[in-house]
């Protein structure tokens, strides 16, 4: 994947074939070219320019291409879809699925699965602003850490929707969390399922350094078996917030 990303130009499409496994990789794939689209497919022997069907991670089973190192996004308008992230246990850096280290806009991470993550699944890791992010229809199975699956700072005009997060928490595992939005404006957190996490399922806070939390909607989410190790409940609103709307 790293070789393909390095050779891609603005707006290129990268197709990762079905059954692909990346073993022994100990460096992240850094996407620093605007508009790159990365798709996984269950098809094999794909020819250049051939149209393919994107893998459906909820239905397509074992032939989804597997990614064993983080993808670091450093460019605008990147699209990542149809991949199975199973970060190798020997990976020396934090075992995060998608890392967003700097200010960007237009990132879409949708229809991927993340398995037994040691750290965050998606992490902005930055006090800069992140605009027009879409995090949708991803499946998370297992979080072995004290912290959130989606750790998102300073969002603007963004949507987190239709994700399924199962922390697979028990009394011997870390106090994982589901979705945390730290500062943001015009952010929708909707129609997500969060279950089996030791701490809160969803948190909105004003811990962002750039954008105060305001005009945030948390609606129609399903949260089960959350907060067994704390008194923070299913949804936690923290700090001096602006307008945050929470509905069933």
């Amino acid at each position: 994947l790293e070789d393909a990303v390095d050779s891609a130009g603005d707006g290129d499409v990268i197709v990762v074939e079905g059954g692909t496994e990346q073993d022994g990789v100990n460096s992240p794939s850094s996407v620093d070219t605007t508009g790159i689209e990365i798709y996984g497919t269950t098809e094999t022997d794909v020819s250049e320019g051939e149209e393919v069907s994107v893998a459906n991670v909820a239905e397509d089973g074992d032939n989804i291409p597997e990614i064993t190192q983080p993808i670091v996004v450093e460019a605008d308008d990147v699209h990542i879809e149809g991949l199975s992230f199973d970060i190798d246990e020997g990976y020396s850096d934090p075992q995060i699925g998608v890392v967003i280290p700097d200010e960007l806009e237009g990132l879409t991470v949708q229809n991927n699965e993340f398995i037994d993550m040691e750290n965050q699944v998606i992490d902005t890791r930055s006090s800069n602003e992140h605009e027009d992010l879409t995090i949708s229809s991803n499946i998370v199975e297992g979080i072995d850490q004290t912290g959130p699956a989606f750790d998102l700072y300073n969002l603007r005009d963004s949507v987190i929707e239709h994700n399924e997060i199962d922390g697979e928490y028990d009394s011997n595992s870390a106090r994982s969390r589901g979705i945390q939005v730290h500062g943001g404006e015009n952010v929708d957190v909707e129609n997500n399922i969060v279950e089996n996490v030791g701490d809160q399922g969803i948190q909105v806070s004003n811990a962002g350094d750039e954008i105060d939390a305001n005009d945030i909607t948390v609606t129609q989410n399903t949260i089960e078996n959350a907060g067994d190790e704390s008194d923070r409940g299913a949804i936690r609103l923290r700090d001096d917030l602006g307008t945050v709307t929470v509905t069933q």
Side-chain angles (χ1 to χ4, degrees):
L1 179 59
E2 180 64 20
D3 290 341
V5 168
D6 287 345
S7 61
D10 288 2
D12 280 356
V13 176
I14 297 171
V15 176
V16 186
E17 292 185 344
T20 299
E21 295 183 10
Q22 299 183 330
D23 294 326
V25 178
N26 201 32
S27 61
S29 294
S30 296
V31 180
D32 56 7
T33 303
T34 300
I36 285 182
E37 301 178 22
I38 303 173
Y39 295 100
T41 180
T42 57
E43 300 176 27
T44 58
D45 298 322
V46 176
S47 302
E48 184 175 350
E50 178 183 351
E51 292 188 8
V52 298
S53 297
V54 178
N56 184 324
V57 298
E59 298 177 359
D60 285 343
D62 295 334
N63 209 38
I64 299 169
E66 183 176 294
I67 303 299
T68 58
Q69 81 277 25
I71 294 180
V72 179
V73 181
E74 301 177 291
D76 294 339
D77 301 320
V78 171
H79 187 111
I80 300 170
E81 181 174 1
L83 302 176
S84 177
F85 289 78
D86 191 355
I87 307 301
D88 189 87
E89 290 184 0
Y91 187 80
S92 59
D93 287 340
Q95 296 173 19
I96 298 170
V98 178
V99 183
I100 309 164
D102 297 306
E103 181 175 330
L104 56 73
E105 61 182 51
L107 171 65
T108 297
V109 181
Q110 71 179 26
N111 178 37
N112 302 281
E113 66 177 1
F114 300 85
I115 301 171
D116 295 331
M117 300 298 293
E118 292 290 331
N119 283 282
Q120 286 89 341
V121 172
I122 301 173
D123 185 3
T124 59
R125 306 190 80 187
S126 171
S127 61
N128 295 317
E129 295 185 12
H130 308 94
E131 185 173 353
D132 191 23
L133 269 62
T134 299
I135 300 172
S136 176
S137 304
N138 299 287
I139 297 174
V140 179
E141 298 179 355
I143 312 166
D144 188 16
Q145 59 130 10
T146 302
F150 301 160
D151 200 11
L152 308 171
Y153 283 78
N154 296 304
L155 302 185
R156 193 185 300 276
D157 302 330
S158 297
V159 177
I160 303 101
E161 64 179 1
H162 298 291
N163 300 283
E164 299 181 15
I165 300 172
D166 184 349
E168 298 184 356
Y169 169 81
D170 61 40
S171 60
N172 297 316
S173 59
R175 286 170 48 177
S176 57
R177 305 166 192 169
I179 300 167
Q180 288 193 179
V181 176
H182 309 277
E185 185 175 59
N186 191 26
V187 178
D188 292 334
V189 182
E190 58 188 21
N191 293 294
N192 300 284
I193 298 173
V194 180
E195 58 186 358
N196 302 320
V197 291
D199 269 349
Q200 61 269 28
I202 296 173
Q203 174 174 300
V204 178
S205 75
N206 214 17
D209 295 327
E210 298 294 324
I211 306 176
D212 290 339
N214 189 45
D215 194 15
I216 296 176
T217 300
V218 180
T219 185
Q220 297 185 353
N221 298 283
T222 300
I223 303 173
E224 298 182 349
N225 192 26
D228 283 356
E229 290 295 321
S230 69
D231 59 357
R232 298 172 180 174
I235 298 175
R236 185 188 189 200
L237 305 181
R238 172 185 164 185
D239 305 320
D240 186 11
L241 302 174
T243 301
V244 178
T245 302
V246 180
T247 64
Q248 293 183 343

